[in-house]
Amino acid sequence: MSKKCRVRFAPSPTGPLHIGGVRTALFNYLYAKKHGGDFILRIEDTDQNRYVEGAEEYIINSLNWCGITFDEGPGKDKGFGPYRQSERKHLYRQYADELISKGKAYYAFDTQEELNFHRKDHEEKGKTFIYNWHNRLKLTNSLSLSKEETQTRLNSNADYVIRFLSPKDETIKLQDTIRGEITIDTNILDDKVLFKSDGMPTYHLANIIDDHLMQISHIIRGEEWLPSLALHQLLYDAFGWQAPEFAHLPLIMKPTGKGKLSKRDGEKLGFPVFPLSWGASVGYKEAGYYPEAVINFLALLGWNPGTEQELFSLQELSAVFSLERVHKGGARFDPDKTKWYNHHYLQQQDEDELTKRFLSKLKTIAATSNTEIDAEFNDVKKIVQLIKERATFEADFWELSDFFFIAPTAYDEKATKKQWKEDTADILNQVASILDNMDDFEAEIISHGVKDWIGNEGLSFGKVMPPLRLVIVGAMKGPDLFQIMALIGKNASIERIKRAITTITDSNI
Ligand code: GLU
């Protein structure tokens, strides 16, 4: 690579960043890291009508949460700034003028009403109105009007836009790293507006000028921008600039595989589509996902390492990522896989940190439910160690462990019917005395004691262990029963057995 690798993520602050946008940012970031390049964040806010307050901050917070940090961008000027297009306003006009003087662009004076009329008229005839070679001389612009008339209109401050003069009867060859060569017949292109009557450039013009001025070497962006590629290439040619390399990433599809994943799918299908919460939409962070999990599943949406490996840290991804392994076809979004990743990264979390966070949740639960919850750091840590394997999110901890903290007062009905036999109360009373005679109440010791007793009595495990779990836990769930008993302690275990015997016998099941 001769040119320094410089890539950019160029979102428009029109709302929250969709998860697809995060993937685009991630692939740019990974490409930059892999090639020792720079990752730039540029805010494309030329469309004032679509500007949404707070969106830029949201984008930056989201990237930071994911660990996709930019080398250059708003607040981090490395000599190519400003990085907000609204702050670069003064730059664009001269380039539009340059295209006019080169005969590559022209002034168009058509009013909105006139254009709407043409659109409607075409629609009624089952056609689409395209402003280009086949009708531009019939419309109101500097190509159809005389020089004098054009000048008079410009002098009188008439509203106008600057349009690109797309070439007629040419075949252009476009290169895309992921898609290969794409051939386009220029006759299908419309004369896109480059500069608007409000004095602002459109996305197309500002985008390529900034990519040129910021010395962007590779443009990695979503497939939805592929239809703009021809115009962009023609603009680079018109200016006489060398175009960057292009790579258009595959779409992210709905879990069914049919149709593009949209911002609204989150609410409809019940999984987040935004990294952070936005209004009423819950983000990945708030839903309990770790950034490592989000990064990992996004990396594999459209890219594969060429091996069976599925687990990658951001650093590992930076070492192995390549555009050659990005595929063309849409990438199906799989919400179950995202959970699988989260489960994996939950197991990797620092146990002390998990414990601290769970302790603070326990405090809240105790306060809001007016219950006393006795929770020592070391005990809670042991509980976390026992249950985390079953958890996908930290928020699952309470449901998986509430019985450690609160003795059951009711017992799963179905399980009670199934497990409670005539001799169960008697058996469990005997287990209670075995436990009572133990000096050390550690899981191993309890396990030996109870199992030896079962053996000596000639009982079956099935007669003892399931009802014992039922009375200790309240239901047929939870981790190793001896570990549970060791943690809740001898007295509490015996109390639970006794209370259950009374409750269940009284209820005559
Ligand atoms: N502002 C465009 C967007 O919102 C940038 C597209 C591009 O990367 O060229 O995605």
Side-chain angles (χ1 to χ4, degrees):
M1 208 178 301
S2 50
K3 258 203 258 158
K4 162 118 175 123
C5 168
R6 285 173 60 80
V7 296
R8 86 309 190 260
F9 177 52
S12 300
T14 54
L17 192 58
H18 180 255
I19 203 72
V22 183
R23 187 200 52 177
T24 302
L26 172 66
F27 283 18
N28 274 283
Y29 171 91
L30 296 176
Y31 193 80
K33 296 301 136 193
K34 171 79 184 279
H35 297 283
D38 302 321
F39 172 58
I40 294 137
L41 174 68
R42 185 174 71 227
I43 302 296
E44 300 209 323
D45 56 353
T46 54
D47 193 346
Q48 300 290 315
N49 297 327
R50 297 184 60 218
Y51 182 81
V52 171
E53 199 61 46
E56 177 185 322
E57 201 189 346
Y58 176 92
I59 291 166
I60 294 177
N61 290 344
S62 298
L63 296 180
N64 286 340
W65 178 69
C66 291
I68 309 172
T69 44
F70 50 90
D71 304 303
E72 284 175 39
K76 267 195 207 175
D77 197 334
K78 298 269 172 73
F80 292 91
Y83 297 87
R84 275 184 209 101
Q85 288 186 327
S86 57
E87 290 167 15
R88 303 170 64 80
K89 231 162 141 177
H90 57 285
L91 279 166
Y92 305 115
R93 177 66 206 224
Q94 56 185 302
Y95 291 99
D97 289 343
E98 183 184 331
L99 290 179
I100 291 193
S101 66
K102 282 180 163 169
K104 305 280 186 187
Y106 61 92
Y107 301 107
F109 302 99
D110 315 87
T111 62
Q112 239 359 288
E113 291 74 39
E114 284 164 347
L115 293 174
N116 287 343
F117 167 78
H118 291 306
R119 278 189 203 115
K120 231 180 123 209
D121 184 48
H122 274 65
E123 235 169 67
E124 279 164 11
K125 293 177 186 143
K127 294 190 202 155
T128 313
F129 174 70
I130 301 179
Y131 200 126
N132 69 2
W133 58 274
H134 79 278
N135 59 9
R136 60 169 82 103
L137 290 181
K138 287 188 233 147
L139 295 157
T140 320
N141 53 53
S142 54
L143 302 173
S144 63
L145 300 172
S146 68
K147 257 198 178 134
E148 293 72 33
E149 174 64 19
T150 303
Q151 204 48 55
T152 313
R153 288 193 183 225
L154 291 177
N155 291 346
S156 71
N157 277 335
D159 262 359
Y160 66 84
V161 297
I162 297 176
R163 286 184 182 269
F164 184 64
L165 181 63
S166 51
K168 185 167 181 285
D169 293 334
E170 278 182 30
T171 304
I172 50 169
K173 290 196 187 320
L174 306 166
Q175 302 298 332
D176 182 280
T177 311
I178 297 165
R179 285 146 216 279
E181 190 171 273
I182 303 163
T183 308
I184 296 280
D185 171 3
T186 57
N187 286 355
I188 63 160
L189 301 176
D190 57 343
D191 290 354
K192 277 269 184 305
V193 174
L194 300 177
F195 209 84
K196 296 175 288 182
S197 50
D198 65 0
M200 287 291 260
T202 57
Y203 152 73
H204 300 292
L205 184 69
N207 183 270
I208 76 128
I209 291 172
D210 286 345
D211 282 340
H212 173 71
L213 296 178
M214 293 182 181
Q215 295 177 15
I216 300 302
S217 61
H218 295 76
I219 291 181
I220 304 168
R221 62 185 173 192
E223 185 178 320
E224 62 273 26
W225 299 103
L226 199 55
S228 303
L229 179 57
L231 171 66
H232 293 187
Q233 182 64 55
L234 287 167
L235 281 169
Y236 281 104
D237 295 345
F239 283 115
W241 298 336
Q242 197 201 337
E245 283 179 34
F246 292 96
H248 290 84
L249 305 174
L251 294 176
I252 300 182
M253 314 299 282
K254 291 183 202 302
T256 53
K258 283 190 200 118
K260 192 176 147 186
L261 184 72
S262 84
K263 288 191 178 183
R264 286 172 305 278
D265 283 335
E267 261 142 70
K268 273 198 266 163
L269 305 172
F271 54 82
V273 289
F274 300 122
L276 309 178
S277 289
W278 176 268
S281 306
V282 178
Y284 274 92
K285 178 183 178 203
E286 293 79 3
Y289 286 87
Y290 299 111
E292 297 94 312
V294 173
I295 289 299
N296 203 152
F297 83 75
L298 282 181
L300 280 109
L301 273 181
W303 170 83
N304 72 79
T307 63
E308 293 294 298
Q309 188 177 342
E310 290 190 289
L311 297 165
F312 291 94
S313 67
L314 193 56
Q315 227 178 358
E316 286 169 322
L317 286 167
S318 307
V320 296
F321 182 77
S322 81
L323 286 174
E324 283 67 41
R325 300 214 72 91
V326 175
H327 55 72
K328 284 192 275 229
R332 197 175 65 83
F333 184 84
D334 180 356
D336 292 334
K337 194 74 190 186
T338 61
K339 289 188 181 158
W340 179 85
Y341 276 115
N342 213 62
H343 172 266
H344 168 80
Y345 286 104
L346 191 152
Q347 312 313 309
Q348 314 292 308
Q349 299 295 307
D350 181 85
E351 282 178 347
D352 283 350
E353 290 302 318
L354 283 178
T355 307
K356 271 189 221 155
R357 293 198 286 266
F358 189 35
L359 270 167
S360 101
K361 168 101 185 257
L362 289 173
K363 257 196 198 147
T364 319
I365 293 172
T368 49
S369 63
N370 232 335
T371 342
E372 217 173 294
I373 295 182
D374 181 20
E376 287 288 318
F377 185 90
N378 286 334
D379 288 345
V380 175
K381 185 171 171 182
K382 279 188 203 143
I383 293 171
V384 166
Q385 287 167 336
L386 277 176
I387 58 163
K388 68 174 190 176
E389 173 60 35
R390 292 151 195 258
T392 302
F393 302 104
E394 289 180 35
D396 299 338
F397 284 1
W398 173 246
E399 217 191 301
L400 289 168
S401 69
D402 54 355
F403 52 85
F404 279 101
F405 306 99
I406 300 172
T409 48
Y411 306 89
D412 182 81
E413 233 177 90
K414 237 172 116 189
T416 312
K417 274 201 180 113
K418 189 164 171 218
Q419 306 298 347
W420 208 264
K421 305 272 154 52
E422 234 167 79
D423 53 356
T424 306
D426 184 37
I427 290 174
L428 292 181
N429 264 324
Q430 291 186 59
V431 173
S433 8
I434 304 282
L435 300 181
D436 205 13
N437 286 331
M438 288 178 181
D439 292 331
D440 279 330
F441 207 66
E442 274 161 34
E444 276 282 293
I445 298 172
I446 311 170
S447 167
H448 275 301
V450 174
K451 284 178 183 167
D452 286 353
W453 174 79
I454 292 174
N456 293 341
E457 294 292 307
L459 289 167
S460 72
F461 270 68
K463 259 192 154 335
V464 184
M465 295 308 294
L468 186 54
R469 177 175 294 277
L470 181 68
V471 301
I472 298 286
V473 174
M476 302 308 289
K477 61 171 192 183
D480 181 80
L481 187 57
F482 301 114
Q483 303 265 18
I484 300 176
M485 292 199 284
L487 266 162
I488 61 177
K490 181 160 125 178
N491 292 343
S493 298
I494 296 172
E495 253 170 52
R496 286 186 188 199
I497 296 173
K498 299 275 183 201
R499 180 195 293 183
I501 292 175
T502 323
T503 315
I504 297 174
T505 319
D506 284 355
S507 71
N508 286 328
I509 287 177

